[in-house]
Amino acid sequence: MMDFVKDIIGDELSIFEKKFAGAVKSQVPLLDRIMKYIIKRKGKQLRPMFVFLSAKLQSPINESTYRAAAMVELLHTATLVHDDVVDESFERRGVFSINAVWKNKIAVLVGDYLLSKGLLLSTDNNDYEQLHILSQAVKQMSEGELLQIEKARKLNINEAVYFEIIRNKTASLLSSACAAGAWSTSQSKEISTKMGLFGEKIGIAFQIKDDLFDYGNEDIGKPTGNDIKEKKLTLPLIYTLNNVDKAKKRELIYIIKNENRNAEKIKEVIDVVVKAGGIKYATGQMNKYRDDALKILHEFPQTEVRDALEKLVWYITERKY
């Protein structure tokens, strides 16, 4: 965990770990075994961090904040489990996915179980505003995913559609984490909406950063080209397709459609993107969304919590993996 976050919400995150493990307990032995597997391989926990910091920006953290963080994690985990089934992916962060170990049928049901746990957690405690915020995010995530699948078939994504996809698919959950966290301590629609917008801007910057990793970065050094293999049109590539001549555009689209497994050809595409300024353009867009988020954040009084949120924003756009 980043030290600057640990200093501000370290205790709350430790308490949250225990509460979350309790929230996913089940009487069904198979389900309980899978939940333990999920908890053991959890990632950086960025979303709970945003819930707690957005809450603490207003007032001290309360029980409703812990429930908001648990709901965000339950919904996030459910969508990851379902995503791995949809993408036929057998690995996540270097560990076997649920569908790789227990097969698709069980993975789909586990995702459903996690979703229902999130819904029950809020209805049992009358957290209706938080339930509304998070249900909105689940709807948007499904829409974003389906829009991406529809557009990937034709490879006709323009920049506006790309931003609509990532706003729905990625940014909506981070937005709801900030909005639900802020609501838990402020009970103010205005503050909750403002923090939701802050989270959306960060979520978009986060996704553009992920897109850039596909073209290599300073540390890893070598590009992966995974998005190209999966025919995903990301911002560096969309910019390039719109800024090369017609012949080059046709050639790139042909490679993405028909030769996307050929390492040499993928390298050709990456080289064209770099040369056409696609990386530079996407980095500029990412920084613009980061700055927009910081502008919203700076409408709140300066405190150590605001400073930690600001550092978290910079971490997202400057991380090496």
Side-chain angles (χ1 to χ4, degrees), residues 272-289:
V272 174
V273 170
V274 173
K275 212 161 129 193
I279 308 296
K280 196 174 168 203
Y281 177 76
T283 304
Q285 287 291 307
M286 175 185 76
N287 293 340
K288 180 178 103 50
Y289 278 96

Side-chain angles (χ1 to χ4, degrees), residues 65-240:
T65 313
Y66 285 110
R67 290 195 296 272
M71 272 180 74
V72 168
E73 274 303 86
L74 284 163
L75 298 181
H76 179 228
T77 311
T79 56
L80 292 184
V81 172
H82 281 167
D83 273 355
D84 286 340
V85 174
V86 171
D87 298 339
E88 297 174 351
S89 170
F90 295 124
E91 216 181 71
R92 186 172 282 279
R93 293 194 202 96
V95 184
F96 284 124
S97 58
I98 303 296
N99 47 308
V101 182
W102 286 282
K103 303 288 177 282
N104 282 349
K105 205 180 280 187
I106 287 177
V108 170
L109 294 167
V110 165
D112 291 346
Y113 172 76
L114 288 161
L115 271 173
S116 66
K117 279 296 225 183
L119 300 175
L120 285 167
L121 185 62
S122 52
T123 52
D124 287 349
N125 294 283
N126 298 330
D127 293 327
Y128 294 118
E129 184 59 30
Q130 291 177 358
L131 179 60
H132 175 72
I133 290 167
L134 284 147
S135 299
Q136 190 66 30
V138 176
K139 169 181 143 323
Q140 283 180 265
M141 287 157 84
S142 312
E143 285 174 345
E145 197 68 62
L146 285 160
L147 181 58
Q148 185 169 45
I149 290 168
E150 182 191 351
K151 294 294 181 183
R153 287 182 184 147
K154 296 197 180 86
L155 288 185
N156 61 348
I157 296 184
N158 60 27
E159 211 172 291
V161 173
Y162 165 82
F163 278 111
E164 189 185 344
I165 289 169
I166 68 168
R167 182 174 285 113
N168 285 336
K169 210 182 116 172
T170 308
S172 61
L173 193 61
L174 208 47
S175 168
S176 70
C178 296
W183 172 265
S184 73
T185 51
S186 72
Q187 307 281 293
S188 155
K189 272 261 171 73
E190 189 194 338
I191 290 174
S192 175
T193 303
K194 191 184 278 191
M195 287 308 290
L197 189 59
F198 161 79
E200 183 183 277
K201 305 279 187 197
I202 294 306
I204 292 172
F206 181 91
Q207 185 57 55
I208 297 173
K209 181 69 173 177
D210 264 8
D211 292 351
L212 286 164
F213 283 141
D214 206 47
Y215 292 89
N217 67 10
E218 313 88 274
D219 274 21
I220 301 161
K222 71 175 199 311
T224 63
N226 281 338
D227 288 335
I228 298 166
K229 281 179 202 144
E230 289 169 21
K231 301 185 191 177
K232 274 187 192 154
L233 289 192
T234 59
L235 194 55
L237 189 51
I238 291 167
Y239 175 85
T240 303

Side-chain angles (χ1 to χ4, degrees), residues 46-54 174 178 202 309 312 316:
L46 272 177
R47 286 158 197 83
M49 287 178 194
F50 274 106
V51 173
F52 287 123
L53 288 170
S54 299
L174 208 47
C178 296
I202 294 306
L309 263 172
L312 201 48
I316 276 176

Side-chain angles (χ1 to χ4, degrees), residues 4-73:
F4 63 86
V5 174
K6 211 190 262 174
D7 293 343
I8 309 292
I9 50 165
D11 294 345
E12 287 92 338
L13 282 167
S14 302
I15 294 167
F16 169 69
E17 294 283 323
K18 295 186 187 76
K19 283 182 183 280
F20 185 76
V24 295
K25 264 192 115 46
S26 161
Q27 300 308 307
V28 179
L30 171 64
L31 203 44
D32 210 38
R33 210 158 60 239
I34 296 171
M35 289 304 123
K36 285 190 176 117
Y37 182 78
I38 285 172
I39 286 166
K40 219 164 69 187
R41 52 191 266 274
K42 282 172 80 53
K44 293 192 278 274
Q45 294 220 297
L46 272 177
R47 286 158 197 83
M49 287 178 194
F50 274 106
V51 173
F52 287 123
L53 288 170
S54 299
K56 215 168 184 174
L57 191 62
Q58 323 305 329
S59 296
I61 282 163
N62 56 36
E63 280 305 311
S64 168
T65 313
Y66 285 110
R67 290 195 296 272
M71 272 180 74
V72 168
E73 274 303 86

